[in-house]
Amino acid sequence: MSQAHTASPQNATTGEPAPSRTARIRHFLHQRLRKTHRIPHKSLEFACMLVGATLVALTSLGFAELADLALDWNAQWTARHPLATWIMLPLGLAALAWYTPRHAPFVAGSGIPQVIAAISLPYGPLKNRLVTFWQTLAKIPLTLLAMLIGASVGREGPSVQVGAAVMLAWGDVCRRHGIAFRGLTANELMATGAAGGLAAAFNAPLAGVVFAIEELGRGVVLHWGRRVLLGVLAAGFILVAIKGNNPYFPQYAGATTVPDMTLWVGLCGIVCGVLGGIFARLLFRGAASCVPAFLRGPVRRHPVLLAIVMGLLLAALGTWTHGQTYGTGYQMVTQALDGHPIAPPETGLAKLAATVFTYWTGIAGGIFTPALSTGAGIGSHLASLAGGMVDERLLVLLCMSAFLAGATQSPVTASVIVMEMTGSQPVLIWSLIGSLVAALVSRQIHPRPFYHSAAGRFRQRIQEEGPSQESERPRPPEPAPRP
């Protein structure tokens, strides 16, 4: 009897011993584990997209905090030692102009043209060379150094290129391990990271989506699926969750309409369209096109010497404007949106020149925020010429979006970005009209959008140089582009 009680129970059908309780628990856990591996593919891809968006947002946030620190340090040392700018700017720009083409040649300038060029390149070993992860990360310290010495640069364009590189690298990891993104092309990953980087940089999720569709999608076929748009929005909203839903610039508190509103909007659009077109043309053509013919060869052959000359010009502009042309120009925009006139009145034009001189050196740094600062200075100048006939803050707001639209020929992006950055929803329709006018006028001066003109140069350079060793390394299989 005792032996019968200790024997293992038998299966009534097969007569074999039934599994013990431990074996049944082990079998249950094994089945649950198998079901865990059967997580719906869409849910897994969505989770991976959120992880990628989080990485982009955190990178942009860290970049922003470091940029604010660099700008604060620049304001402190230039205020205490104003004469030192005549040494620091020429030598600092010369050092950056020497280092960048030798060690990080594809991070020069804004960063947005590199992303556009990468998206437009055919699929192959050259496709991702402009947004390789480690070289693109070098754009962050190079931009911070430019801000520290007083160059007229912003961090938003660099955030776009860095965001594209981060999302593309994360997508490669997921595809290499067979986790997700098998149906997303490199173009879609780059566009998601780039637009997410802009959304996080400006704390403007909607502007990131509009930028992706209007700017990145211009001239190429991009499939804006649900995952892509959610990834862009997620990067912006993650930053909103961390830092709060606060506009980048002070909340707009000026007039929303004035008598003869249409005339004022048209005036801002025309003036900023002309200046924005000249700005884009100067950026694209470079310093060599603006000097006598006998100097063009030396200017092209000696970029370090050119950077020294540009540094001296930047120091002169900064001294004349009491430091308002250094960095992003954030304080100038804040002052103008608060209704305080900018002195001297020509500071907006000085900021335009400072940004052009900085870009001509070939160092890393964006033009987005400097363009907004230039527009704010132009609006303040127009208000001073109007003699108090209209609220200065309104003209500043209209000219910010109009000049950015004239520089980039992306009117919807410009108006939506300014709306989100200033909380000026009631003026959005007027900003959009002014931006459309500015983009139309700018196109008569510089027919092709600046970012896409610059992207053409990067694309041609990549195709002429051929693949690098890094681009020849095995990569995860790329899904075929959808028709």
Side-chain angles (χ1 to χ4, degrees):
M1 292 292 293
S2 60
Q3 293 181 354
H5 285 292
T6 58
S8 300
Q10 294 183 344
N11 188 303
T13 304
T14 62
E16 298 177 355
S20 64
R21 183 174 181 178
T22 303
R24 291 198 301 271
I25 293 175
R26 189 180 295 122
H27 177 72
F28 172 78
L29 293 176
H30 178 68
Q31 291 296 324
R32 298 301 299 175
L33 184 62
R34 291 184 60 187
K35 289 182 179 180
T36 302
H37 287 291
R38 296 174 186 172
I39 296 175
H41 181 67
K42 291 183 179 180
S43 299
L44 187 58
E45 286 225 337
F46 179 69
C48 290
M49 182 63 77
L50 288 181
V51 172
T54 303
L55 294 174
V56 171
L58 293 178
T59 303
S60 295
L61 176 60
F63 192 6
E65 296 294 332
L66 293 173
D68 290 342
L69 185 61
L71 292 172
D72 288 342
W73 286 350
N74 172 260
Q76 292 175 16
W77 76 260
T78 54
R80 293 176 182 174
H81 312 286
L83 293 180
T85 58
W86 293 86
I87 300 175
M88 290 295 295
L89 267 169
L91 294 183
L93 288 177
L96 292 173
W98 175 86
Y99 179 88
T100 302
R102 287 168 174 78
H103 302 284
F106 300 130
V107 303
S110 166
I112 296 177
Q114 288 92 317
V115 176
I116 294 174
I119 290 175
S120 64
L121 283 169
Y123 286 89
L126 302 176
K127 180 68 175 175
N128 304 329
R129 193 175 171 197
L130 288 168
V131 288
T132 54
F133 182 72
W134 291 112
Q135 180 176 211
T136 303
L137 281 188
K139 198 176 189 80
I140 295 178
L142 292 176
T143 302
L144 295 175
L145 287 173
M147 290 179 172
L148 183 61
I149 63 176
S152 180
V153 295
R155 60 175 171 81
E156 290 71 26
S159 295
V160 169
Q161 187 180 7
V162 172
V166 169
M167 183 63 80
L168 184 62
W170 170 245
D172 286 346
V173 170
C174 291
R175 286 207 295 251
R176 185 177 296 115
H177 294 87
I179 301 173
F181 300 143
R182 295 177 183 175
L184 285 180
T185 64
N187 280 355
E188 291 163 331
L189 289 170
M190 284 189 285
T192 303
L198 183 77
F202 281 127
N203 204 12
L206 180 59
V209 174
V210 176
F211 169 78
I213 296 173
E214 183 180 32
E215 191 66 68
L216 299 181
R218 182 183 298 176
V220 296
V221 178
L222 286 174
H223 297 272
W224 300 109
R226 180 172 60 93
R227 292 168 297 177
V228 175
L229 295 179
L230 286 176
V232 176
L233 289 172
F237 284 126
I238 287 169
L239 197 68
V240 169
I242 296 174
K243 297 195 67 175
N245 189 20
N246 302 313
Y248 183 87
F249 291 122
Q251 183 81 24
Y252 178 72
T256 57
T257 184
V258 295
D260 301 320
M261 185 70 174
T262 305
L263 295 178
W264 290 110
V265 171
L267 175 64
C268 292
I270 293 172
V271 171
C272 291
V274 171
L275 294 175
I278 294 173
F279 177 70
R281 189 174 182 84
L282 289 174
L283 291 179
F284 177 70
R285 298 193 64 177
S289 66
C290 299
V291 298
F294 71 93
L295 289 176
R296 292 175 184 172
V299 166
R300 293 190 179 100
R301 290 193 300 269
H302 302 287
V304 175
L305 182 60
L306 174 65
I308 293 175
V309 175
M310 295 298 105
L312 293 173
L313 292 174
L314 287 176
L317 290 172
T319 302
W320 177 47
T321 61
H322 310 291
Q324 294 181 91
T325 56
Y326 299 145
T328 61
Y330 178 87
Q331 295 301 326
M332 182 169 65
V333 178
T334 301
Q335 178 181 343
L337 287 175
D338 284 340
H340 303 297
I342 297 175
E346 299 82 9
T347 298
L349 298 178
K351 184 63 176 175
L352 185 155
T355 307
V356 171
F357 294 157
T358 300
Y359 192 87
W360 281 353
T361 63
I363 68 173
I367 64 169
F368 236 99
T369 312
L372 292 173
S373 305
T374 300
I378 294 170
S380 179
H381 194 186
L382 289 178
S384 67
L385 294 176
M389 294 175 59
V390 64
D391 189 344
E392 177 183 351
R393 295 169 293 181
L394 179 61
L395 293 186
V396 167
L397 187 75
L398 293 174
C399 286
M400 285 174 64
S401 58
F403 184 81
L404 182 59
T408 63
Q409 295 181 21
S410 299
V412 181
T413 300
S415 54
V416 171
I417 279 181
V418 171
M419 180 268 292
E420 284 199 280
M421 294 176 72
T422 59
S424 56
Q425 288 83 353
V427 195
L428 176 59
I429 184 62
W430 296 113
S431 296
L432 179 58
I433 294 173
S435 297
L436 289 169
V437 172
L440 180 62
V441 173
S442 172
R443 198 170 291 121
Q444 313 311 310
I445 300 172
H446 189 66
R448 195 176 181 196
F450 165 69
Y451 285 138
H452 289 262
S453 301
R457 287 181 172 173
F458 278 105
R459 182 170 57 249
Q460 180 180 2
R461 181 178 173 183
I462 286 293
Q463 291 172 334
E464 289 176 353
E465 291 185 2
S468 65
Q469 291 181 355
E470 183 174 355
S471 62
E472 289 175 342
R473 294 175 184 172
R475 303 181 63 88
E478 186 72 42
R482 287 166 285 186

